[in-house]
Amino acid sequence: MKNVVAIVGDYYHDYELAKQSLDQILMPYADEGIVKVSYVSVEQISAELEKQPDVVILFAEDRTDPQNQPEARWMTSVVSQQIEFFVNQGGSWIAWHSGLASYPEESEYEDASRVLSLPSFPPFRSHLYADRRNKAWIGG
């Protein structure tokens, strides 16, 4: 069984709607015992990376309150470095939609998100696509 960690929802994207969308792809495979999906918050990402999941899906932008505190961000340099290490060690990272939004361009996270390391097992093999900048997205 492959372990998938998903971080979904942010200021502009409702957690439940994002979870429902991802569940449409992942749950049939979870029901067959192919994947195990854990939904966690951005605050839990460091602890989850230490467990070395097979795949991490990030659908949350960096800004925590863009309207009232536009400078407030959740990703620290430590977390950014952990993500880069995870990807460089062969971990699969999927930055989905807002998972590419508002992160510093000159950061370990941006470097790591340019490394294409897509999972090769279902459902990802049939639902993932990469663009010319080596960013991945989920589609049908």
Side-chain angles (χ1 to χ4, degrees), residues 9 23 25 35-36 63 77 95 102 107:
D23 280 350
I25 294 172
V35 299
K36 177 184 175 225
R63 299 176 300 169
S77 62
S102 302
S107 69

Side-chain angles (χ1 to χ4, degrees), residues 8-9 14 18 23 34 55-57 70 78 90 95 97-98 114 127 132:
V8 300
D14 181 72
D23 280 350
I34 296 171
V55 181
V56 177
I57 301 170
V78 171
H97 187 56
S98 63
R114 289 184 180 93
H127 290 282
R132 285 176 268 175

Side-chain angles (χ1 to χ4, degrees), residues 2 32 38 53 79 87 96-97 121 137:
K2 302 294 184 172
E32 292 179 27
S38 302
V79 171
V87 171
W96 176 28
H97 187 56
F121 54 88
W137 73 89

Side-chain angles (χ1 to χ4, degrees), residues 2-8 22 26 36-41 44-45 48-49 51-58 86 92-94 124:
K2 302 294 184 172
N3 290 312
V4 177
V5 172
I7 301 110
V8 300
L22 193 54
L26 298 179
K36 177 184 175 225
V37 184
S38 302
Y39 287 92
V40 302
S41 68
Q44 296 170 292
I45 195 167
E48 292 299 320
L49 287 172
K51 298 175 187 175
Q52 300 180 328
D54 296 293
V55 181
V56 177
I57 301 170
L58 177 64
F86 172 77
S92 294
W93 185 270
I94 300 170
F124 303 104

Side-chain angles (χ1 to χ4, degrees), residues 76-77 80-84 104 106-113:
T76 65
S77 62
S80 185
Q81 290 169 7
Q82 288 176 309
I83 293 167
E84 181 184 43
E106 301 298 323
S107 69
E108 291 86 355
Y109 175 68
E110 279 296 311
D111 292 342
S113 71

